[in-house]
Amino acid sequence: MEEIFVEVAVPVPLFNTFVYRIPLHLNKADLIGRKVKVPFKSTKHYGIILGVKNQPDFSKVKDVFSVEDKVFTEKEINIIKNLSEFYISPIGLTVDYFVPNKIREKNIKDPFIGKLFFLKENSQVKKLTHKQKELLELLYERDYLTYEDLKELGFDRKTIKSLVDKGIVEVKEGLSILKDSLVLSSYKEDYESINTLKNKIYLFDEFYPEKRLNYYLQLTQKIKNGSIHIILPSVELCNIYYEIFSRRFKNVYVYNDSISPSTQWQVWKKAMEQNVILIGTVSSAVIPIKNQKILIVEEEDSKVYKSKRTPKIDIKRVAYYINKEKGIPVIFASSIPSLESFLSLQKKQIIHLNNKPKINSANIQIIPHKNINSDLLVIKDLITKSRSCLIVANKSYYSSLVVCERCGWQAICQKCGYHLNVHLKEGKKYLECGRCKTKYEYTPLCPECDFKTTETGFGKEKVEVFLKKSLPVEFWNKFKVVSSLELKTLSVGKFETVINLYPDFILDFPDFRSEYEFFKKVMIPITVCEKNYVAITNQEEELKRFNFDVYKFLTWELKKRERLNLPPFIKVIKLEIFTKNLKGSIVSNYVEEFFKNLKIIKKSVLDNYLMYIFEYKNEEDKKIFKDFYEKTLKKSNIKITIEVNPSNFQ
């Protein structure tokens, strides 16, 4: 029998693949996409077969130890190869990003695999290491992070476990399904395109999420002898969608990082073997789904879709390759389209699924923000006149800063130097670091000059305290206060009146995306509004200019970015370099000489860290980064990460 040689991707930081021989006694059927165990240097690794090869021209070819489960088909392998090339990511690490946790055998015994990590509320923070502070800062920025995310970002199991043991970080299996607040109402939109979808990419910017959900239910009903895949930005939304779809259909499965490795693998195999409705997060993106008829990326504008793990992918790029390789319709859906999708729509690179979205703007009111006291009186009055009222406070704390107006003193964290927020619990104020969550005793007097301190800013806690003090108890069940992060449009419910309290805070951040993010902060609460929407803001003229018209704003924002040469009109690569016992200034000279033909958009050089944003024009320019990666790989005191089209320039 003729010998068979295979090309294998091994999860190591190398761009090349490896050739192995399949011994005569092992399974040789349907090899592409199968898991193998292979010898690699002095260890045993898992790998994925990418293809069958001719006999190599070198004599020493090692045998694989075993040929195991089918993980991918050839189509998924081609998608992964394209992603590896586009994101300048080693093929083995790109494969490893998408495989289910059970395939990574060495990690199966780790109890943190498949878990989610959250900041624990009201935890007591004591002395922390620099690495622990970094981890807490990341969790503060996001709702949660998976174990795989944390490992990729450089946090070892010891650091993670220490914060869990201290009671600062909480480990969860998953998020609860919010059964009592689901809103499907009676929307029955019947888009003609349900029966006429082609193998194209579509933009579905129906403004109200429940209308989009109803469309997906109708679409699923129409699909015969096939599978549908819906990708969502959070575990919480996965649970909500699962609850709704499983009431109406059979073979509904959820796949995300919150479920156990064994359950993940069961779902993976079910999706390969039978027609399914698969609901998942980004980790489900390249599951080889049987008879897949359509892919839907819901909330395509979400920041979560830009991965923090290598290969730092964007889900829209993955979906693009799925469309090309599998020849199926792909839908990008959101209330406010991403600028990239809106630009593609203008260039006719993608197709509009719906007509221009309609927004109920008959009862929109803008009230100038003067100070928090006058704002609260306005809110109180609106509650008394409404059947139900939602207040979006945008921040969760009581006050944002404590300062002394006489000497300029400000309450700062003694551990990390970040400013302290004021919080209120059981009628008692305390200070908490906005970064590392260290708590301090509240100080009404300045420690420098003994003058009375002043609190600035406001958040959810202050609003709740004022309303419960000033309104009779019978009004308490008429209102709800949430921060903007808590505003989940399918779980909050609907309210007669929605009040958006000072979304302007986002404009304080020095980021080219701030005006786009501000517009989203203004618009998204309208999706849960039944009748009256009130925005308390100092951006009245800006909002009147766009008249709450999504397309008008997006067109203006694109023109501004094109004029300023900003994304999506510029292609950039972010290069981060972490050094050990090597001065950043020395490395900087080497980097700038290496990339002398590329334009530097931004750079930051510190003792042990360097960050560069380079502009690139074409795929040839990317090869320079690959060369740089391979040349520095052998240096033990340097670690680099490459991010194509980063989400920010920081």
Side-chain angles (χ1 to χ4, degrees):
M1 184 178 290
E2 186 177 349
E3 289 185 317
I4 295 178
F5 297 87
V6 290
E7 178 188 16
V8 177
V10 180
V12 292
L14 299 170
F15 281 98
N16 52 306
T17 54
F18 304 90
V19 176
Y20 291 90
R21 178 172 46 223
I22 305 291
L24 295 178
H25 66 281
L26 294 181
N27 175 28
K28 299 177 180 61
D30 193 18
L31 286 172
I32 295 177
R34 284 192 179 275
K35 173 189 174 183
V36 289
K37 287 181 184 173
V38 297
F40 187 81
K41 294 185 177 180
S42 59
T43 63
K44 182 190 292 187
H45 260 290
Y46 93 84
I48 298 293
I49 296 176
L50 302 183
V52 178
K53 305 285 288 186
N54 295 325
Q55 183 169 352
D57 54 8
F58 47 89
S59 58
K60 291 185 178 180
V61 180
K62 296 180 179 179
D63 289 347
V64 303
F65 293 126
S66 62
V67 178
E68 302 181 9
D69 293 298
K70 182 85 169 176
V71 182
F72 300 112
T73 70
E74 192 169 356
K75 290 183 182 296
E76 286 75 37
I77 293 297
N78 290 338
I79 291 166
I80 291 170
K81 286 180 178 178
N82 285 329
L83 291 169
S84 172
E85 183 177 349
F86 183 86
Y87 287 106
I88 321 175
S89 169
I91 182 66
L93 296 184
T94 310
V95 168
D96 190 65
Y97 179 92
F98 290 106
V99 298
N101 285 319
K102 188 171 177 60
I103 296 301
R104 304 184 188 100
E105 281 195 340
K106 62 181 181 180
N107 294 327
I108 293 302
K109 295 180 181 179
D110 192 330
F112 286 158
I113 284 289
K115 300 296 191 297
L116 304 179
F117 294 83
F118 298 75
L119 273 181
K120 194 170 184 180
E121 293 185 3
N122 303 318
S123 57
Q124 295 297 319
V125 179
K126 297 182 180 179
K127 187 176 180 180
L128 298 176
T129 65
H130 177 70
K131 204 67 177 174
Q132 289 171 332
K133 291 176 186 176
E134 284 184 3
L135 194 154
L136 292 182
E137 185 172 349
L138 280 170
L139 287 175
Y140 181 67
E141 292 173 355
R142 299 168 70 94
D143 289 343
Y144 64 87
L145 285 168
T146 68
Y147 187 49
E148 289 71 25
D149 288 337
L150 292 173
K151 294 280 284 184
E152 170 67 23
L153 290 166
F155 299 102
D156 57 25
R157 187 175 180 278
K158 182 179 178 182
T159 300
I160 300 167
K161 186 176 184 299
S162 67
L163 290 173
V164 173
D165 292 343
K166 288 175 181 286
I168 302 169
V169 170
E170 187 174 6
V171 187
K172 292 185 180 180
E173 293 284 348
L175 298 173
S176 60
I177 299 173
L178 305 178
K179 298 179 181 180
D180 57 345
S181 55
L182 297 175
V183 179
L184 277 180
S185 66
S186 58
Y187 291 108
K188 295 295 179 184
E189 300 292 336
D190 188 13
Y191 300 95
E192 292 182 3
S193 53
I194 280 182
N195 296 312
T196 59
L197 287 176
K198 300 177 182 178
N199 297 335
K200 304 288 185 179
I201 299 177
Y202 294 85
L203 176 65
F204 185 30
D205 58 351
E206 166 56 58
F207 185 68
Y208 294 94
E210 63 272 19
K211 289 188 177 183
R212 297 199 301 271
L213 175 55
N214 272 285
Y215 172 71
Y216 305 151
L217 292 168
Q218 292 177 58
L219 186 62
T220 305
Q221 189 71 45
K222 296 279 185 180
I223 291 176
K224 304 297 182 184
N225 190 33
S227 299
I228 183 170
H229 187 189
I230 304 174
I231 296 180
L232 298 160
S234 70
V235 174
E236 180 180 18
L237 270 178
C238 284
N239 287 334
I240 291 171
Y241 267 61
Y242 174 78
E243 177 72 7
I244 294 169
F245 273 83
S246 60
R247 292 176 193 165
R248 293 162 174 77
F249 305 103
K250 295 179 180 179
N251 296 331
V252 182
Y253 297 96
V254 171
Y255 187 99
N256 55 53
D257 288 322
S258 74
I259 59 179
S260 68
S262 59
T263 303
Q264 277 188 344
W265 184 233
Q266 289 172 13
V267 172
W268 191 288
K269 290 191 292 184
K270 288 283 186 184
M272 292 180 69
E273 296 165 358
Q274 64 186 41
N275 295 334
V276 297
I277 300 164
L278 183 63
I279 297 166
T281 53
V282 174
S283 58
S284 70
V286 295
I287 293 178
I289 300 170
K290 182 179 180 180
N291 295 330
Q292 185 175 353
K293 300 296 185 183
I294 192 166
L295 170 64
I296 298 167
V297 180
E298 173 62 19
E299 293 190 20
E300 59 90 17
D301 60 308
S302 174
K303 296 178 183 177
V304 174
Y305 285 139
K306 181 64 175 176
S307 169
K308 285 187 173 291
R309 291 168 52 200
T310 301
K312 298 186 183 296
I313 62 165
D314 186 300
I315 189 60
K316 290 190 285 294
R317 174 63 55 173
V318 182
Y320 168 79
Y321 288 133
I322 289 173
N323 167 258
K324 297 300 180 187
E325 184 66 33
K326 297 188 177 183
I328 61 171
V330 169
I331 296 176
F332 293 156
S334 64
S335 298
I336 311 292
S338 65
L339 282 167
E340 293 80 6
S341 294
F342 189 69
L343 180 61
S344 296
L345 182 68
Q346 289 188 332
K347 291 181 174 181
K348 298 183 179 180
Q349 295 170 336
I350 61 178
I351 301 170
H352 214 175
L353 183 67
N354 55 302
N355 296 321
K356 183 177 178 179
K358 297 177 181 178
I359 300 171
N360 178 17
S361 58
N363 296 303
I364 289 180
Q365 182 182 4
I366 301 174
I367 298 177
H369 165 69
K370 297 178 182 177
N371 57 66
I372 183 58
N373 293 326
S374 62
D375 293 344
L376 291 173
L377 291 174
V378 169
I379 293 171
K380 175 185 173 183
D381 182 59
L382 289 168
I383 290 173
T384 61
K385 297 175 181 177
S386 302
R387 173 173 40 84
S388 60
C389 187
L390 179 73
I391 301 102
V392 182
N394 285 300
K395 289 294 183 179
S396 60
Y397 45 63
Y398 186 86
S399 301
S400 58
L401 296 172
V402 179
V403 298
C404 175
E405 294 182 344
R406 175 191 281 176
C407 70
W409 173 85
Q410 181 178 325
I412 297 295
C413 178
Q414 297 174 13
K415 294 183 180 294
C416 69
Y418 202 69
H419 67 261
L420 302 178
N421 304 136
V422 181
H423 288 266
L424 187 70
K425 184 180 180 182
E426 297 176 353
K428 186 177 180 180
K429 290 181 179 180
Y430 65 93
L431 301 176
E432 182 178 279
C433 177
R435 176 183 289 166
C436 72
K437 299 301 178 183
T438 303
K439 292 179 174 60
Y440 298 88
E441 185 177 346
Y442 180 78
T443 172
L445 298 176
C446 174
E448 300 290 334
C449 68
D450 212 32
F451 193 69
K452 186 178 179 180
T453 56
T454 302
E455 296 176 21
T456 65
F458 53 86
K460 171 184 170 182
E461 292 176 5
K462 179 173 281 189
V463 175
E464 286 179 326
V465 168
F466 172 83
L467 293 177
K468 288 188 175 181
K469 278 185 178 181
S470 60
L471 286 169
V473 175
E474 57 266 28
F475 282 91
W476 290 9
N477 63 354
K478 292 180 62 177
F479 71 87
K480 183 176 184 178
V481 186
V482 298
S483 67
S484 55
L485 288 176
E486 296 171 305
L487 184 61
K488 306 293 185 182
T489 51
L490 283 175
S491 58
V492 166
K494 291 283 186 179
F495 295 81
E496 182 182 55
T497 300
V498 174
I499 305 168
N500 196 345
L501 179 56
Y502 199 67
D504 309 40
F505 80 95
I506 198 73
L507 297 171
D508 295 334
F509 293 92
D511 192 305
F512 67 87
R513 302 166 300 167
S514 59
E515 289 178 296
Y516 171 74
E517 295 298 330
F518 168 72
F519 187 76
K520 284 174 60 177
K521 294 282 186 189
V522 170
M523 297 298 293
I524 293 301
I526 299 176
T527 62
V528 297
C529 179
E530 291 180 331
K531 187 177 180 181
N532 306 305
Y533 177 67
V534 179
I536 301 177
T537 171
N538 286 332
Q539 302 300 315
E540 183 176 6
E541 292 303 316
E542 287 289 305
L543 295 178
K544 283 183 176 178
R545 188 205 316 175
F546 303 118
N547 195 30
F548 294 84
D549 185 317
V550 175
Y551 283 17
K552 191 173 183 180
F553 170 78
L554 293 176
T555 301
W556 173 86
E557 180 73 9
L558 280 176
K559 287 180 179 178
K560 181 196 74 174
R561 293 202 188 184
E562 184 175 23
R563 185 177 71 255
L564 298 175
N565 197 31
L566 291 169
F569 297 99
I570 181 176
K571 296 189 291 186
V572 297
I573 293 176
K574 183 177 183 178
L575 176 69
E576 291 184 282
I577 304 172
F578 304 85
T579 66
K580 184 178 180 181
N581 301 324
L582 191 61
K583 286 188 176 182
S585 57
I586 298 174
V587 180
S588 177
N589 294 333
Y590 173 70
V591 170
E592 291 176 27
E593 175 62 26
F594 200 99
F595 293 95
K596 62 184 178 182
N597 294 325
L598 296 183
K599 181 180 178 181
I600 298 174
I601 303 296
K602 185 175 181 179
K603 75 174 183 177
S604 175
V605 179
L606 304 175
D607 285 344
N608 297 306
Y609 171 78
L610 300 89
M611 186 279 291
Y612 287 88
I613 303 288
F614 292 98
E615 180 180 4
Y616 76 98
K617 300 292 186 182
N618 49 49
E619 295 304 304
E620 285 298 313
D621 288 345
K622 283 186 177 180
K623 292 180 181 179
I624 304 173
F625 290 87
K626 184 176 179 180
D627 292 343
F628 182 80
Y629 183 98
E630 291 179 324
K631 280 182 169 60
T632 56
L633 186 63
K634 295 179 181 180
K635 300 182 184 298
S636 60
N637 56 349
I638 294 179
K639 177 186 175 183
I640 73 170
T641 64
I642 298 170
E643 184 174 2
V644 178
N645 300 331
S647 56
N648 62 64
F649 285 7
Q650 303 303 312

